[in-house]
Amino acid sequence: MNITTLGKTAGAVLVMAALLGGCQKKDDTVGAGPAETAGRKIDQAGERASAELNQASREADQKMTEAGHKMDQAAKETSEKLDRAADTAGAKLNQATDAAGRKLEQAGENMQQKAAEREATK
């Protein structure tokens, strides 16, 4: 949840508190003047807004923690894939080196054989 969403949530809470202010029991405001009644409503709206913001903060923290776990898992999987790719590449390089060595050895033997044949025909 980002700051814009938190601000909208807080604003919505304050508007709802103002609209629902008339839904409270009448005994709460008996003997209270308009300013005191308004002050109580503002206090109540502030408490509700604070509770909503705390809840939004807890949810944001939870989502950030979850995202961190997902990133850790993705990094681990990527590392494992890179390790496997490096192992595969190393094995293929070894195979290619062995094949090249065999071909060089065979070429050397062919050269020796041809040299021996030339010596024999002299």
Side-chain angles (χ1 to χ4, degrees):
M1 189 174 286
N2 58 34
I3 292 177
T4 304
T5 306
L6 290 174
K8 288 179 182 178
T9 302
V13 169
L14 289 173
V15 169
M16 290 299 293
L19 291 174
L20 296 174
C23 297
Q24 67 183 347
K25 294 181 195 174
K26 293 296 176 191
D27 352 352
D28 289 349
T29 57
V30 172
E36 189 175 343
T37 302
R40 287 182 187 166
K41 288 181 182 179
I42 290 171
D43 289 345
Q44 291 169 354
E47 289 172 7
R48 285 189 210 116
S50 176
E52 287 286 327
L53 288 173
N54 286 337
Q55 178 63 29
S57 176
R58 283 191 296 274
E59 290 174 5
D61 285 344
Q62 181 180 1
K63 292 195 184 281
M64 291 294 285
T65 300
E66 290 171 4
H69 290 307
K70 287 180 183 178
M71 288 177 62
D72 287 345
Q73 185 62 33
K76 181 180 176 183
E77 290 173 5
T78 301
S79 175
E80 290 170 355
K81 286 179 183 178
L82 287 172
D83 287 345
R84 285 192 300 271
D87 289 344
T88 301
K92 287 185 179 183
L93 182 59
N94 287 339
Q95 290 172 351
T97 302
D98 289 345
R102 283 191 300 274
K103 287 184 181 184
L104 283 172
E105 188 177 330
Q106 189 176 32
E109 289 172 0
N110 287 342
M111 289 173 62
Q112 287 177 353
Q113 183 180 7
K114 290 197 186 230
E117 288 173 0
R118 274 192 297 246
E119 285 295 318
T121 58
K122 283 188 182 177

